[in-house]
Amino acid sequence: MADYHFVYKDVEGASTQWDDIQRRLGNLPPKPEPFKPPAFVPKVDADEQLKSKEWLDEREPDELEDLEDDLDDDRFLEQYRKMRLAKLREAAKAARFGSTVPITGSDFVREVSQAPSDVWVVVFLYKDGIPECGLLQTCLEELATRYPATKFVKIISTDCIPNYPDRNVPTILVYNNSAVKGTYVGLQKFGGKRCTPESVALALCQSDPILNDGQGGSDSSRNNVIEGVRRKFIEKVVVQHEEREEDDSD
């Protein structure tokens, strides 16, 4: 015999008039929202994506390597892929320093004189206990992180030059292609005891493209570096002005 006992279930989200009255009286919980499935979005195969310059810009070097055969039919994109890959490799090769490395007299030839011809080396001669040396070292450490394609080293002055007078420290020697390109004795050219990373960077870039952040490939344009330094200087001035205004208001 057929089973005629069953529970009728209305369309999901439907409600009776009696249930609506009970909900207004607080005897039933609020009516749940009807379930709505998310809109269907077909999955796009990575191989079927429309490839463009912007799409290539988002790819990592190993992904660009794998695309060599996929772009043979598009001469422009294949050429752009090669250019993009070369730029990434050059930037990775350039940005290989990023800190002020301590060296000794025995390290000088290897670390400074024998540095590659495309690398500028900033040599910081210092003595412990001299306040001006500590001030300049702080500036150089910030510049080293900001311009990781430029090599920064520091060495005790008398380890580098025997009997070097303490009155001449701090001193900066700039090397490129095994030759001294610049000499800065004391803090005068950097703004004295009020020197900042920006004032040091501007002084170093007056004649040669010493500072290089590694982001511009082979183009370490002095004008680009100076423009970036000036922008950071203005940002610092604005922040200091705002902090002084907050202190005055308190």
Side-chain angles (χ1 to χ4, degrees):
M1 182 175 180
D3 185 4
Y4 292 101
H5 299 281
F6 63 92
V7 177
Y8 173 75
K9 190 172 184 180
D10 204 347
V11 179
E12 185 176 359
S15 177
T16 65
Q17 187 176 11
W18 173 254
D19 288 343
D20 293 340
I21 294 173
Q22 294 302 311
R23 286 193 175 90
R24 285 198 295 271
L25 295 175
N27 297 329
L28 289 177
K31 183 172 64 174
E33 294 290 334
F35 171 75
K36 291 184 178 180
F40 173 72
V41 179
K43 184 178 180 181
V44 179
D45 192 336
D47 294 334
E48 297 178 356
Q49 281 186 322
L50 182 63
K51 297 176 176 60
S52 63
K53 288 178 57 177
E54 292 74 18
W55 185 85
L56 288 175
D57 286 340
E58 296 175 357
R59 308 277 73 80
E60 297 295 330
D62 55 342
E63 294 177 298
L64 291 173
E65 292 275 13
D66 295 337
L67 288 171
E68 182 174 2
D69 296 332
D70 297 342
L71 299 178
D72 286 342
D73 296 334
D74 193 321
R75 183 177 299 178
F76 170 76
L77 285 181
E78 172 59 15
Q79 184 177 5
Y80 186 79
R81 182 195 70 84
K82 291 180 179 179
M83 182 182 68
R84 171 72 176 159
L85 185 58
K87 187 175 181 180
L88 289 174
R89 286 172 174 170
E90 190 172 0
K93 179 182 177 181
R96 59 185 181 271
F97 303 115
S99 63
T100 304
V101 179
I103 63 172
T104 63
S106 59
D107 301 326
F108 194 90
V109 172
R110 182 184 69 254
E111 297 292 338
V112 179
S113 302
Q114 295 180 352
S117 59
D118 62 337
V119 173
W120 287 81
V121 186
V122 176
V123 184
F124 173 47
L125 276 60
Y126 72 100
K127 270 289 185 69
D128 290 329
I130 298 179
E132 290 80 1
C133 291
L135 179 59
L136 186 54
Q137 178 171 326
T138 300
C139 295
L140 293 176
E141 286 174 348
E142 181 170 334
L143 293 180
T145 60
R146 195 184 300 173
Y147 302 101
T150 298
K151 188 173 185 178
F152 287 79
V153 299
K154 63 179 182 180
I155 181 172
I156 296 175
S157 57
T158 49
D159 284 354
C160 181
I161 305 174
N163 302 318
Y164 192 71
D166 286 355
R167 65 177 181 273
N168 289 346
V169 294
T171 293
I172 287 181
L173 304 176
V174 178
Y175 275 77
N176 178 249
N177 202 17
S178 303
V180 178
K181 299 294 185 178
T183 303
Y184 302 84
V185 178
L187 297 178
Q188 290 78 9
K189 292 186 179 180
F190 305 135
K193 293 184 178 181
R194 300 182 64 181
C195 70
T196 64
E198 288 71 31
S199 64
V200 175
L202 286 175
L204 291 177
C205 287
Q206 287 306 308
S207 57
D208 292 298
I210 297 169
L211 302 179
N212 184 357
D213 59 9
Q215 301 301 311
S218 59
D219 179 19
S220 54
S221 168
R222 180 170 61 92
N223 292 333
N224 291 341
V225 172
I226 290 177
E227 182 60 31
V229 170
R230 285 175 176 164
R231 185 166 56 251
K232 282 190 172 293
F233 176 75
I234 292 173
E235 291 173 355
K236 281 191 175 182
V237 170
V238 171
V239 170
Q240 291 173 355
H241 179 70
E242 291 176 347
E243 289 176 349
R244 283 197 297 269
E245 285 187 340
E246 290 179 0
D247 293 340
D248 293 341
S249 62
D250 294 338

